Amino acid sequence: MTGESRIWGCAVGAAVGDALGMPLEFGPPQPPERLVRDMQSARLPAGTFTDDTEMALALAESLLASCPLDSADLAERFATWYRAGPADVGIHLSDVLRRIARGEAWATAVETVQARKPESAGNGSVMRCWPVALAHRNDLPALLADSRLQSKVTHPHPECVAGSALVNAVIYFLLHNAAPQDAVTQALSTIRDLPPGLLQAVKAAPGLSRSELTNSGWVRHTVESAIWGLLTTYSFEEAVIQVVNLGNDADTAGAVVGALAGAAYGLEAIPQRWRDALRGELSWQPGHTWRAKDLVELASQLAGRAVVGFQAWGETNG
């Protein structure tokens, strides 16, 4: 497996996990004998990614414009997305972006919203964080700094900030050929300021049964489910299937485990039927439908790789 394959797999895997989880969002866990294994339609057509990937792509575009990340630029891109009226925005995120969209500085907006509910620790920043890992694939300190910064723009709770850094650190080590368990271990050793509750959840995750995973919109639960899926399965397909079928916030957990498993197993491990079905449209790019090949090209741009490899892949795989 090439390094390019892992990079591409991370981007496409995140969107695939998001789309596969979309019809299972807010639903109950699926019985083990009836796991959903194919793209299905629900509030969106089968194979369509959601706000999780849309926000990740806004972050990716901000990184392409400025790397290290420009927090003001990122906040404005998120506000542009919010002004277009996305269908599914969390309460905390909506409150922050509404203020930014009205012209308030992002730091003031997020401080005001967080102060009203200091315990708010949703998964809205960890779901979108993977582009930072690709943009800083060879610079771990910069990766950790920008992972934390992109979270602080909307989700400043310590578990949100640390969760984003942790997920991207795991991706970093996977991109550098570490096995999944080694990648998690190295990430935990690298990030020494993880809040105790999040640290314990990550360490305990592989030993949990499906029935013990809540998979809610709390960042701790999302990271827990994603790490569980990565470390208790042995393929991209099974990692994502097991996690999205936990239900509840299935698309977000699917996006996170998809990014991790894509980096672990590479693009070629993502089933072709899922890549073929994947699609999505962005409010700030009317008339353009994103497909797997577009995510491959974006990943190459983020990673600073030549797009020649993408073109060859597209010619042979569609």
Side-chain angles (χ1 to χ4, degrees):
M1 185 196 317
T2 65
E4 287 87 351
S5 178
R6 292 182 187 274
I7 290 167
W8 299 338
C10 180
V12 176
V16 162
D18 179 12
L20 193 69
M22 177 269 295
L24 298 169
E25 186 182 19
F26 305 130
Q30 297 298 304
E33 68 275 10
R34 294 202 302 274
L35 298 182
V36 172
R37 292 182 173 273
D38 289 296
M39 300 290 188
Q40 296 184 357
S41 60
R43 62 183 176 88
L44 297 170
T48 306
F49 58 69
T50 77
D51 60 299
D52 301 57
T53 301
E54 291 171 17
M55 293 200 79
L57 296 181
L59 172 57
E61 290 190 352
S62 189
L63 285 162
L64 289 174
S66 178
C67 189
L69 187 65
D70 181 335
S71 57
D73 177 81
L74 178 63
E76 181 53 38
R77 291 177 192 273
F78 285 165
T80 297
W81 170 75
Y82 181 77
R83 290 187 192 103
D88 184 15
V89 187
I91 295 174
H92 173 92
L93 183 60
S94 179
D95 288 346
V96 172
L97 294 184
R98 184 184 302 111
R99 287 175 168 273
I100 296 174
R102 291 173 179 170
E104 198 167 304
W106 73 261
T108 302
V110 75
E111 181 181 3
T112 301
V113 173
Q114 191 70 32
R116 291 176 178 172
K117 195 175 181 181
E119 71 278 11
S120 178
N123 56 18
S125 61
V126 76
M127 73 185 189
R128 68 184 187 227
C129 68
W130 58 263
V132 174
L134 302 188
H136 294 299
R137 74 193 190 286
N138 289 324
D139 189 342
L140 185 56
L143 177 150
L144 296 176
D146 272 359
S147 297
R148 293 179 171 117
L149 179 58
Q150 68 83 30
S151 182
K152 290 176 181 178
V153 170
T154 57
H155 291 71
H157 189 283
E159 289 206 13
C160 302
V161 175
S164 297
L166 176 67
V167 166
N168 277 343
V170 176
I171 293 173
Y172 173 89
F173 290 112
L174 291 169
L175 293 178
H176 287 81
N177 302 318
Q181 181 61 70
D182 292 337
V184 173
T185 299
Q186 291 178 66
L188 289 174
S189 297
T190 299
I191 303 174
R192 300 186 179 277
D193 60 347
L194 281 175
L198 180 60
L199 175 61
Q200 180 57 35
V202 171
K203 287 184 174 180
L208 299 178
S209 64
R210 294 183 79 246
S211 63
E212 294 176 294
L213 294 159
T214 306
N215 206 42
S216 74
W218 186 15
V219 65
R220 188 186 300 180
H221 285 162
T222 297
V223 174
E224 176 184 67
S225 293
I227 295 296
W228 173 83
L230 178 69
L231 297 186
T232 61
T233 61
Y234 299 95
S235 69
F236 176 91
E237 184 169 5
E238 280 306 307
V240 174
I241 285 173
Q242 290 299 324
V243 171
V244 300
N245 279 279
L246 295 171
N248 206 339
D249 208 351
D251 58 336
T252 296
V256 178
V257 75
L260 293 170
Y265 298 109
L267 179 68
E268 61 271 20
I270 302 175
Q272 188 69 50
R273 69 185 189 280
W274 291 352
R275 283 186 269 161
D276 290 343
L278 184 64
R279 54 164 293 152
E281 296 180 5
L282 306 179
S283 60
W284 64 92
Q285 290 183 350
H288 176 70
T289 299
W290 280 71
R291 302 284 188 179
K293 64 180 182 179
D294 298 297
L295 288 159
V296 167
E297 181 173 12
L298 177 69
S300 292
Q301 292 171 344
L302 283 169
R305 301 297 182 94
V307 185
V308 174
F310 152 68
Q311 292 170 337
W313 177 83
E315 290 169 0
T316 58
N317 292 276

